[in-house]
Amino acid sequence: MVFGWGKKNRDQMQKTEETVERSVGISDVSQIVTDTLQIHSKTIVSETSSLHSRMDNLFADLAKIISKLDGDDLKIDDVDRNIRIIVERGKKQVIKIVKEESERPLQKISKPEDIKKFVADAGRRIKRTG
């Protein structure tokens, strides 16, 4: 038998069970809910803004990679002519789409209503570039 397993100090258990009671009038409930909602809204906007800045940096890096790919010839001279045409067309299409999506700035987030627009726009851009 291992000693100490299953044994708990009763003083520690009593400390965790302490609760704080406070009486709130019905007229105060709407103000408390409004304050809580504002705090959560500000938190969500700030978290989404940090996500916005990270995505903006990633799209800037993607634009740099695409500009390098645009200048690359892929060394497909010794490949079959039919395959070469497919590769060149695919390269042009990928470069075009990714350039469009990575060079367009993301929408700024300043209020909770902007988050829905940002999520929809960011999702569409990720799907198109991914």
Side-chain angles (χ1 to χ4, degrees), residues 77-125:
D77 296 332
D78 55 345
V79 178
D80 183 38
R81 186 175 69 87
N82 296 325
I83 294 175
R84 184 180 325 141
I85 293 169
I86 294 170
V87 169
E88 288 173 355
R89 283 184 187 166
K91 176 185 163 187
K92 288 177 186 176
Q93 288 177 348
V94 167
I95 289 172
K96 179 185 169 200
I97 290 172
V98 174
K99 269 188 179 180
E100 287 175 3
E101 296 299 325
S102 63
E103 291 176 353
R104 188 170 44 88
L106 288 168
Q107 180 182 356
K108 298 292 180 192
I109 300 170
S110 58
K111 53 189 176 197
E113 292 80 26
D114 295 339
I115 294 174
K116 280 187 177 180
K117 294 175 186 174
F118 169 72
V119 168
D121 184 43
R124 186 183 56 78
R125 288 176 74 174

Side-chain angles (χ1 to χ4, degrees), residues 12-85:
Q12 289 178 351
M13 289 178 60
Q14 290 176 354
K15 288 180 184 177
T16 59
E17 293 176 5
E18 292 179 17
T19 59
V20 176
E21 292 185 21
R22 174 174 105 168
S23 62
V24 177
I26 292 182
S27 60
D28 298 334
V29 171
S30 65
Q31 183 62 35
I32 292 171
V33 170
T34 304
D35 293 343
T36 305
L37 182 63
Q38 287 176 350
I39 291 170
H40 287 297
S41 296
K42 289 178 183 178
T43 304
I44 290 171
V45 167
S46 67
E47 289 175 2
T48 309
S49 295
S50 68
L51 178 64
H52 173 277
S53 64
R54 285 187 287 168
M55 283 184 68
D56 215 13
N57 291 338
L58 291 173
F59 276 117
D61 292 343
L62 189 59
K64 291 176 187 176
I65 292 169
I66 286 299
S67 66
K68 288 180 183 178
L69 179 63
D70 194 17
D72 193 8
D73 64 353
L74 299 179
K75 299 180 183 175
I76 56 172
D77 296 332
D78 55 345
V79 178
D80 183 38
R81 186 175 69 87
N82 296 325
I83 294 175
R84 184 180 325 141
I85 293 169

Side-chain angles (χ1 to χ4, degrees), residues 4 6-13:
K7 293 182 181 177
K8 295 194 182 212
N9 191 349
R10 295 190 189 274
D11 294 333
Q12 289 178 351
M13 289 178 60

